[in-house]
Amino acid sequence: MFTFKFERSLNIKDNLLNKNILELSEINKKILMVKSDIKELRNDNKKRLAKLDEALSEDILNSNYLTFMSENIYKVMKNIDLLKNNLNKLNIQKKEKLSEIKELEKEIKQLEKLKEKQYKKYVDDENKKETRFLDEIATIKYVKKSNC
């Protein structure tokens, strides 16, 4: 019976690969959420700027309102910058995870090739044993026939 001595290692690497793929999926999900949040905040800021422009064009110059709107726009812009930094960090994590996945795939492929080679050698050895056994039986039958 064929047993691959690195089967456990192959299984562990395969499990690690699956785990990393799941983690990559989570990172991608977070990236999409952050991009969506950035887009939403930009749209909100555009609306605020439009309201501010409208207030300025209609000469509704309430200083409290103008201060509030400008501070609000500034805070949202700061929040967008924070989200962009978060997005950059997530993209770095994604690249790292992708490189880990590629490395694991490479290692798994190497182990699978080794397993295939060892299995081929095992089959060849078994075939040789079977051929020797059949040769011995044929020799024994021939000797018995010639002695009779």
Side-chain angles (χ1 to χ4, degrees):
M1 172 171 254
F2 176 72
T3 54
F4 182 53
K5 62 183 172 182
F6 298 114
E7 188 70 39
R8 188 160 193 257
S9 177
L10 182 62
N11 289 338
I12 290 170
K13 289 189 184 296
D14 195 40
N15 288 339
L16 269 173
L17 177 65
N18 290 334
K19 179 183 169 229
N20 281 339
I21 289 172
L22 287 174
E23 289 173 359
L24 178 64
S25 172
E26 289 296 318
I27 291 171
N28 282 332
K29 202 183 296 184
K30 288 178 184 177
I31 287 173
L32 289 175
M33 287 173 43
V34 170
K35 284 181 178 180
S36 172
D37 290 347
I38 289 172
K39 186 177 180 181
E40 187 177 316
L41 287 174
R42 282 183 177 159
N43 287 338
D44 289 347
N45 245 8
K46 284 180 185 177
K47 290 175 186 174
R48 286 184 186 92
L49 284 170
K51 284 183 182 179
L52 190 59
D53 283 344
E54 184 181 316
L56 289 173
S57 67
E58 293 179 3
D59 292 331
I60 306 172
L61 297 176
N62 182 345
S63 65
N64 290 337
Y65 178 74
L66 292 175
T67 304
F68 169 76
M69 288 298 283
S70 62
E71 285 177 358
N72 197 313
I73 291 170
Y74 177 76
K75 287 178 183 177
V76 170
M77 289 172 66
K78 282 291 187 184
N79 199 3
I80 289 173
D81 287 340
L82 290 173
L83 286 173
K84 283 182 181 179
N85 287 337
N86 190 12
L87 184 62
N88 289 336
K89 289 176 186 176
L90 286 170
N91 282 323
I92 290 170
Q93 287 178 358
K94 179 179 177 178
K95 286 180 184 177
E96 290 171 355
K97 207 45 84 171
L98 281 171
S99 68
E100 285 178 36
I101 288 172
K102 285 180 184 179
E103 187 62 32
L104 278 170
E105 286 175 337
K106 186 177 173 183
E107 291 174 11
I108 288 171
K109 189 175 181 179
Q110 288 173 342
L111 285 172
E112 286 175 344
K113 281 184 180 181
L114 180 62
K115 180 179 180 178
E116 189 177 304
K117 285 180 183 178
Q118 286 184 2
Y119 181 72
K120 187 179 184 306
K121 185 179 183 303
Y122 168 77
V123 169
D124 290 343
D125 289 344
E126 289 297 310
N127 286 338
K128 286 178 185 176
K129 286 178 188 177
E130 185 179 344
T131 303
R132 272 189 248 128
F133 178 71
L134 293 174
D135 286 346
E136 287 177 24
I137 291 175
T139 305
I140 292 171
K141 281 187 176 184
Y142 176 75
V143 169
K144 282 185 180 180
K145 234 181 194 184
S146 61
N147 284 340
C148 292

